[in-house]
């Protein structure tokens, strides 16, 4: 029995498609966990706007002048989970020159368009450095107030780094999948197992509710729950999860109907085991394969529903990045010379959903005892 289980599990690693799916899912999960460590723009939500650099192509590089903002007292360290508070204004420059305690920069406005800005070193360096000789102020300025940044996937129309928002936006897709799966499986297992085990009026009542809700299109049901709960981060996830338990309940009910007639279940009833013990100890453990397949399928569906809601404007709200929201903000770029702003998040959604579908199909094949 143990050898058979191991041989079935090894089938996942013998299939190139399932290895790719698992690898991409793990990569996305790690990216979501360490997004702010990986993102070039580690500010909150990757929302650093440099309007002069709007809609730049992938690989674009520019030197930036970091000008401290006077109205922000937050520390520069920040959090690996929430990002680093932006305490600087980022000004793109073509060149700079130092003359004593004065800095002159050629401010980049657009291709072929620039102007000259002048700053004193003392307004660009900390107070402790400002008390030092001018030469040390200049050295600090060159080391800490000038930065060359490369936008590997280009920028959006607001001048934000697409790569950073793509990495941080992966958190939304992973979070919506996890929450939707937990909610849908919890409710689906509860109602499905009760309906299948007890039958009779319990089964009829549960299936009546399922059929009524099933007759309502999923998006309309999500819209109704969204309008009721609100458009917040968690409200959207809960609304999606509350619409996905129907399929889980039907499948769990069908499996429970078959399992309740098994000899070991009848033996448990004969020795006086309680209904709760029979369901928890003798039925639910045998539904692990079905639950895993449902979880993979619901994960993919939840990602697509969230992306659709964000595209329609009732999902994740700006400035928080979401792959669906990134498509909404830049879908009109598809007919211009900067289509990657919408294509890149679309490809990310497609690959993640594809990976979960492949994993679900492979688990179904492996866990199907009839094969």
């Amino acid at each position: 029995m143990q050898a058979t289980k191991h041989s079935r599990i090894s089938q996942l690693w013998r299939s190139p498609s399932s290895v790719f799916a698992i690898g991409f899912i793990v990569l996305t999960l790690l990216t979501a966990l360490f997004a702010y460590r990986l993102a070039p723009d580690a500010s909150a939500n990757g929302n650093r706007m440099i309007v002069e650099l709007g809609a730049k192509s992938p690989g674009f590089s520019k030197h930036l002048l970091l000008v401290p903002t006077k109205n922000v007292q937050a520390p520069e360290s920040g959090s690996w989970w929430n990002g680093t508070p932006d305490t600087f204004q980022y000004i793109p420059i073509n060149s700079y020159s130092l003359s004593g305690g004065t800095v002159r920069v050629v401010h980049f406005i657009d291709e072929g368009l620039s102007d000259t800005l002048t700053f004193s070193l003392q307004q660009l360096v900390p107070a402790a450095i400002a008390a030092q000789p001018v030469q040390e102020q200049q050295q600090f300025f060159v080391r800490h107030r000038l930065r060359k940044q490369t936008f590997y996937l280009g920028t959006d129309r607001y001048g934000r780094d697409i790569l950073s928002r793509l990495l941080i936006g992966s958190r939304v897709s992973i979070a919506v999948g996890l929450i939707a799966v937990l909610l849908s499986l919890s409710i689906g297992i509860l109602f499905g197992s009760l309906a299948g085990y007890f039958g009779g009026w319990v089964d009829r009542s549960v299936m009546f509710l399922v059929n009524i809700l099933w007759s309502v299109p999923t998006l309309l049901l999500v819209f109704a729950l969204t309008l009721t709960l609100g458009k917040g981060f968690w409200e959207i996830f809960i609304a999606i999860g509350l619409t996905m338990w129907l399929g889980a309940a039907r499948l769990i009910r069908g499996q429970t109907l078959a399992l309740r007639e098994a000899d070991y279940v009848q033996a448990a009833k004969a020795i006086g085991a309680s209904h709760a013990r029979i369901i928890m100890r003798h039925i639910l453990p045998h539904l692990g394969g079905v639950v895993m397949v449902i979880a993979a399928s619901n994960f993919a569906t939840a990602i697509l529903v969230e992306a659709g809601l964000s595209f329609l404007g009732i999902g994740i709200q700006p400035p928080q990045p979401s792959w669906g929201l990134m498509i909404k903000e830049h879908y009109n770029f598809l007919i211009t010379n900067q289509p990657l702003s919408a294509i890149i998040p679309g490809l990310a959604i497609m690959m993640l959903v594809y990976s979960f579908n492949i994993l679900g199909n492979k688990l179904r094949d492996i866990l199907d005892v009839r094969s």
Side-chain angles (χ1 to χ4, degrees), residues 183-194:
L183 273 177
S184 62
L185 288 183
S186 299
I187 300 174
I189 290 174
L190 174 63
F191 283 95
S193 60
L194 292 178

Side-chain angles (χ1 to χ4, degrees), residues 20-87:
F20 168 81
I22 295 173
F24 192 83
I25 292 170
V26 172
L27 177 63
T28 305
L29 179 60
L30 293 175
T31 299
L33 288 174
F34 302 103
Y36 282 108
R37 293 298 187 192
L38 299 172
D41 176 9
S43 62
N45 295 320
N47 195 44
R48 180 185 300 151
M49 297 185 185
I50 309 175
V51 293
E52 298 94 333
L53 304 183
K56 297 301 181 184
S57 58
F60 177 82
S61 296
K62 180 57 64 177
H63 283 90
L64 301 175
L65 171 66
L66 281 60
V67 179
T69 55
K70 297 180 180 180
N71 59 337
V72 177
Q73 301 298 327
E76 296 186 22
S77 58
S79 165
W80 72 273
W81 182 253
N82 296 319
T84 303
D86 246 344
T87 58

Side-chain angles (χ1 to χ4, degrees), residues 124-347:
L124 298 177
V125 300
I129 303 298
Q132 302 297 322
V134 172
Q135 186 176 3
E136 293 192 19
Q137 295 180 35
Q138 292 178 347
Q139 293 175 355
F140 181 91
F141 167 79
V142 173
R143 286 196 301 264
H144 300 283
R145 295 297 182 257
L146 293 175
R147 175 188 302 177
K148 182 179 181 181
Q149 182 167 347
T150 300
F151 301 91
Y152 296 100
L153 295 181
T155 61
D156 62 14
R157 60 179 177 175
Y158 303 108
R160 297 176 296 193
D161 182 40
I162 292 178
L163 175 59
S164 299
R165 290 182 64 80
L166 187 75
L167 295 175
I168 299 170
S170 64
R171 291 184 168 190
V172 172
S173 295
I174 294 297
V176 69
L178 287 174
I179 295 172
V181 165
L182 289 175
L183 273 177
S184 62
L185 288 183
S186 299
I187 300 174
I189 290 174
L190 174 63
F191 283 95
S193 60
L194 292 178
Y197 179 78
F198 290 106
W201 68 269
V202 176
D203 187 21
R204 290 193 296 271
S205 300
V206 171
M207 293 312 298
F208 177 77
L209 176 62
V210 168
N211 291 329
I212 290 294
L213 294 177
W214 204 291
S215 64
V216 181
T218 302
L219 277 180
L220 291 181
L221 194 56
V222 174
F223 290 164
L225 288 171
T226 301
L227 293 175
T228 302
L229 298 175
K231 295 183 180 180
F233 184 83
W234 296 105
E235 287 84 351
I236 296 298
F237 295 171
I238 293 173
I240 294 174
L242 290 177
T243 61
M244 297 179 61
W245 64 273
L246 304 174
R250 289 174 68 99
L251 288 175
I252 296 297
R253 169 186 174 271
Q255 295 293 317
T256 305
L257 283 172
L259 289 173
R260 73 176 184 178
E261 304 299 332
D263 292 340
Y264 60 87
V265 174
Q266 298 301 322
K269 290 181 179 179
I271 62 175
S274 65
H275 296 310
R277 180 178 178 84
I278 293 174
I279 293 175
M280 297 298 297
R281 297 292 299 274
H282 301 289
I283 292 182
L284 292 184
H286 291 81
L287 299 178
V290 177
V291 169
M292 292 174 64
V293 174
I294 296 173
S297 175
N298 283 2
F299 214 115
T301 303
I303 293 170
L304 283 177
V305 172
E306 181 278 323
L309 290 174
S310 296
F311 182 82
L312 295 174
I314 60 175
I316 300 300
Q317 300 299 302
Q320 185 168 10
S322 159
W323 292 347
L325 182 61
M326 292 174 68
I327 297 175
K328 173 184 181 292
E329 292 175 340
H330 302 99
Y331 73 94
N332 54 342
F333 280 33
L334 291 172
I335 59 175
T336 69
N337 60 347
Q338 296 291 346
L340 290 179
S341 300
I343 291 177
I344 291 174
L347 287 175

